[in-house]
Amino acid sequence: MQLSGNWNYPTAIRFGAGRASELPALCRELNIKRPLIVTDPGLARLPLIARLTDYLLSANLVADVFCDLRPNPVGRDVEAGVDAYRAGAYDGIVAVGGGSAIDVGKAIALMVGQKHPLWEFEDVDDNWTRVHVAGMAPVIAVPTTAGTGSEVGRASLIIDESEHRKVIIFHPAMLPKIVLADPELTIGLPPHLTAATGIDAFVHNLEAFCSPLYHPLAQGVALQGMKLVHDWLPRAYADGTDIEARSHMLAASIMGATAFQKGLGGVHALSHPIGAVFDTHHGLANAVMLPYVLQRNRAAVKDSLAEAAHYIGLADTSFDGFLDWVLQLRSQLGIPHSLAEIGIDASRADEIGRMAKLDPSDGSNPVELTPDDYSALFCAAVEGKIDG
Ligand SMILES: [Fe+2]
């Protein structure tokens, strides 16, 4: 099968190995003549960014790089990017990277045209209606990880340092105009990041699938997304140059973020504050937390997970069979079993519990969880004890 195509759901996606060279044509399609490449400092040093810049320059497009951003980006990163964008009179953003760089790229594109400060666009009530849409810059998103799926998302996660809180900045028009999804760009991802980002993609599909909200389109996408991770993540982890595995994982990542318009759940409700407080890698926090939250949700999700287990081809299609497979996959991918193993202790459990309850992902967890429940889950994950 040719693993390449032009997809228009949920946005325009140019998918396939070797397609990064189409970047100048896509800029022209959006009438971008002076693109600002937004990426992270690690990627900025790699030949990949030089190659993308060369493509643009050889097509007579001015292209500069902004890379002054953190792995868990903060408001100052966005402000610096907005300043750079204005100073260089750019007319579009090419956001290249994992979730951090793409989130910052999308937030810069939003903020170059607004009068309100960033935090006034938090995804609360109808804040998004304040956005001056015509002022926003067009974004081409170029993912280099298969995990967050930020390239097909309508929000950015930015930390408000004054509150140590991950804030969701949302507007429907933050969905990038075009996604350039070239699996060759994910080949350089080392195994531990392939694992952590791959599990993040899996959790997006899983939490969307288990969300009690009605969204049958997302349900179908989520089921196939989980199967792709089951079939291909171990191969992408074992051999990072396996382009077939990298292609299917990039698709699974796009599918996860498409599906989670149906909602996320307790894993993300906890991993957001864990990331904000301990600066933990988002995918890693999800990967550690996943089995603890699954077990806590057991009564509400056992039937739907039996359905998923059957579809993805597990030998034991019971809830326990699904949980056992998750635990086995995690250990196969070298993911630690407890938060203690990544240097997190339980001293801030109450705070994490309160923050998890306030996280928007809490609302679509299949069972009601109180702040104390979240604190208990966090403590269980610190100790490595899965109840039941
Ligand atoms: Fe995530």
Side-chain angles (χ1 to χ4, degrees):
M1 197 197 312
Q2 175 83 16
L3 301 178
S4 178
N6 293 350
W7 307 336
N8 291 295
Y9 172 70
T11 186
I13 302 172
R14 306 285 178 264
F15 189 96
R19 298 193 65 176
S21 60
E22 295 177 26
L23 181 60
L26 301 181
C27 286
R28 280 197 215 96
E29 206 173 309
L30 296 179
N31 210 17
I32 299 174
K33 297 185 182 66
R34 294 177 66 85
L36 179 62
I37 295 177
V38 176
T39 191
D40 63 59
L43 274 173
R45 288 191 291 273
L46 297 181
L48 156 69
I49 294 295
R51 186 152 65 89
L52 293 177
T53 308
D54 285 347
Y55 289 146
L56 294 168
L57 294 174
S58 57
N60 294 320
L61 296 163
V62 171
D64 295 310
V65 175
F66 171 81
C67 64
D68 189 11
L69 56 94
R70 270 144 272 254
N72 280 310
V74 301
R76 278 180 295 143
D77 299 333
V78 178
E79 285 163 20
V82 169
D83 291 345
Y85 185 93
R86 288 185 177 142
Y90 300 100
D91 59 4
I93 301 265
V94 176
V96 185
S100 314
I102 295 180
D103 275 8
V104 171
K106 286 157 60 181
I108 294 169
L110 167 74
M111 293 309 294
V112 294
Q114 313 305 321
K115 292 197 179 76
H116 296 274
L118 180 66
W119 312 121
E120 291 191 17
F121 301 116
E122 180 172 4
D123 188 15
V124 172
D125 302 329
D126 62 354
N127 277 358
W128 64 276
T129 59
R130 297 173 177 168
V131 168
H132 173 54
V133 179
M136 292 171 68
V139 176
I140 297 173
V142 187
T144 62
T145 68
T148 70
S150 175
E151 63 275 11
V152 292
R154 303 167 301 165
S156 294
L157 277 171
I158 308 292
I159 292 177
D160 179 348
E161 290 177 288
S162 65
E163 299 184 16
H164 291 284
R165 191 167 67 90
K166 273 200 176 182
V167 177
I168 298 177
I169 305 297
F170 168 82
H171 189 277
M174 287 174 73
L175 183 68
K177 292 275 186 292
I178 302 180
V179 177
L180 180 55
D182 181 344
E184 285 181 359
L185 303 184
T186 68
I187 279 178
L189 204 62
H192 73 284
L193 288 177
T194 299
T197 54
I199 297 262
D200 188 28
F202 180 73
V203 176
H204 294 158
N205 284 296
L206 172 65
E207 293 208 294
F209 187 75
C210 294
S211 150
L213 305 180
Y214 180 67
H215 197 326
L217 282 81
Q219 197 72 352
V221 170
L223 192 57
Q224 179 65 10
M226 282 192 278
K227 179 166 174 54
L228 287 177
V229 176
H230 168 271
D231 292 353
W232 298 100
L233 179 54
R235 273 180 61 172
Y237 177 75
D239 176 7
T241 65
D242 182 334
I243 201 66
E244 191 181 6
R246 292 294 197 184
S247 297
H248 288 305
M249 280 308 300
L250 189 54
S253 155
I254 288 170
M255 292 167 80
T258 303
F260 77 55
Q261 290 192 21
K262 180 172 181 268
L264 287 167
V267 180
H268 275 80
L270 279 158
S271 72
H272 291 151
I274 290 170
V277 171
F278 300 102
D279 208 25
T280 312
H281 183 274
H282 172 72
L284 180 61
N286 281 327
V288 176
M289 286 310 308
L290 175 60
Y292 304 91
V293 176
L294 272 181
Q295 179 73 327
R296 183 66 181 73
N297 289 342
R298 179 188 189 105
V301 301
K302 64 180 180 5
D303 292 342
S304 48
L305 287 187
E307 193 187 326
H310 179 73
Y311 182 75
I312 67 181
L314 300 185
D316 177 352
T317 57
S318 67
F319 174 86
D320 286 322
F322 191 93
L323 184 61
D324 284 348
W325 167 67
V326 165
L327 290 168
Q328 178 254 318
L329 174 69
R330 252 186 10 153
S331 88
Q332 182 184 356
L333 300 177
I335 303 285
H337 182 64
S338 71
L339 291 175
E341 289 166 68
I342 54 173
I344 295 176
D345 65 37
S347 58
R348 296 176 77 172
D350 289 348
E351 187 184 354
I352 295 289
R354 280 195 303 274
M355 291 168 82
K357 188 64 197 172
L358 291 172
D359 191 275
S361 302
D362 164 70
S364 46
N365 192 62
V367 299
E368 172 86 26
L369 296 176
T370 65
D372 286 347
D373 291 330
Y374 278 119
S375 298
L377 273 168
F378 174 75
C379 290
V382 168
E383 291 174 35
K385 283 190 192 148
I386 297 179
D387 283 342

